[in-house]
Structure formats: structure tokens, C-alpha cells
Amino acid sequence: MSQPFDLLLGRKTFEIFASYWPHHPEEGPEINTATKYVASNTLRTHEWSKSVFLKGSVVDEIKKLKEQDGPDLQVHGSGDLIQTLLEHDLVDEFWLKIFPVTLGLGKRLFDKGTIPVAYTLVDSKTSPSGVIIATLKRAGEVKTGSF
């Protein structure tokens, strides 16, 4: 998160973030200064600065955002929104944090509607507590047949 970025968030994640980050500017100033693009069918306004609510087709609006010059567009959480992005081939890169715990069933990252796409591991680190942080970039068509 050292580079400038904007956020693309689903409504639930936006509401969680908006209940915390504006009240803790010293902990994550980048989140407060980033533009927050919100995909929601019900929420249309919020007092958190730089919050923009997508109108019309979320897929079309995201395609327009991706065509513009500007900082990286990051998605944090937002499980339902991620499914839409995967279904419409709108993911360029993943920053996955894999924690060494099991908590039950949870949500699937790659669920119904995910189209086949290849990714290349460009970086990986392991934290002292065992969290694996992997950066995967889009690598085009899926090629099968070897490791």
C-alpha cells in the first residue's frame, strides 16, 4: 500500500470501513485520502470524504474506471463484488493473504461464474506468524499439461 491507490468496495465492506477509518486517520491515512468507489444497490450517499457511488451497471462503471489514468484500483474484502469482477474478467492482479488457521466453511474466492484465467506468481513472503502474502499477476490464457 505504499503506492497511491483508490478503493473499489461493495456496500457491506464500505460500511465496515466507514464506521472505523474516518475516526482513526492516524492509522491509515491512505485509506481516508483514497477515493472510495462503492458498488451498492441501496446506499447512495455517505459523509466519508471522497466516497463515490457507482450508478447504473456496476460492470460498465468498473470498465470505465479501469480505462482511466489514475492510481491502482484495489478491492479489499467485498466477497460478492469479487465474484462479479471474476465473472466479467475484471481482475488484473491478486494480493492474497493466506492465514494459517481454519475457521469453518467461509466463502469461496473462486466460485460460480469465475472464468478460467492464468496468473503468474510475481512475489511471495511469509510473515513471522506464518501468513503467506502472494502477489499474482494476470498471465493470459490458461495453459494445461504441466507444472
Side-chain angles (χ1 to χ4, degrees):
M1 292 179 59
S2 61
Q3 300 296 318
F5 65 91
D6 287 335
L7 292 169
L8 175 60
L9 304 168
R11 181 194 50 83
K12 293 176 204 169
T13 302
F14 173 81
E15 288 180 331
I16 292 167
F17 277 32
S19 71
Y20 182 82
W21 289 110
H23 311 291
H24 299 88
E26 70 287 346
E27 289 183 40
E30 303 87 359
I31 289 178
N32 283 309
T33 59
T35 299
K36 280 76 66 183
Y37 295 99
V38 185
S40 174
N41 293 321
T42 56
L43 194 60
R44 292 287 168 227
T45 63
H46 198 278
E47 69 243 12
W48 193 13
S49 67
K50 298 181 80 175
S51 296
V52 176
F53 293 82
L54 302 178
K55 297 177 175 116
S57 163
V58 169
V59 171
D60 290 341
E61 291 297 310
I62 293 168
K63 286 178 181 179
K64 288 178 195 173
L65 287 172
K66 287 176 58 85
E67 290 173 0
Q68 297 175 6
D69 287 333
D72 284 346
L73 191 57
Q74 298 180 4
V75 179
H76 295 219
S78 305
D80 292 339
L81 178 58
I82 290 285
Q83 298 310 307
T84 300
L85 298 175
L86 288 168
E87 183 178 354
H88 294 278
D89 198 18
L90 293 170
V91 176
D92 299 317
E93 182 173 299
F94 278 106
W95 296 343
L96 299 178
K97 293 180 182 172
I98 305 161
F99 292 79
V101 297
T102 55
L103 299 173
L105 295 176
K107 289 185 176 183
R108 292 180 181 271
L109 176 58
F110 305 107
D111 206 359
K112 296 177 216 134
T114 300
I115 61 172
V117 174
Y119 293 89
T120 299
L121 180 67
V122 294
D123 189 34
S124 66
K125 297 176 181 143
T126 305
S127 76
S129 63
V131 177
I132 299 167
I133 303 160
T135 302
L136 303 160
K137 282 199 180 217
R138 179 70 184 264
E141 300 284 322
V142 174
K143 295 177 183 142
T144 59
S146 67
F147 283 71

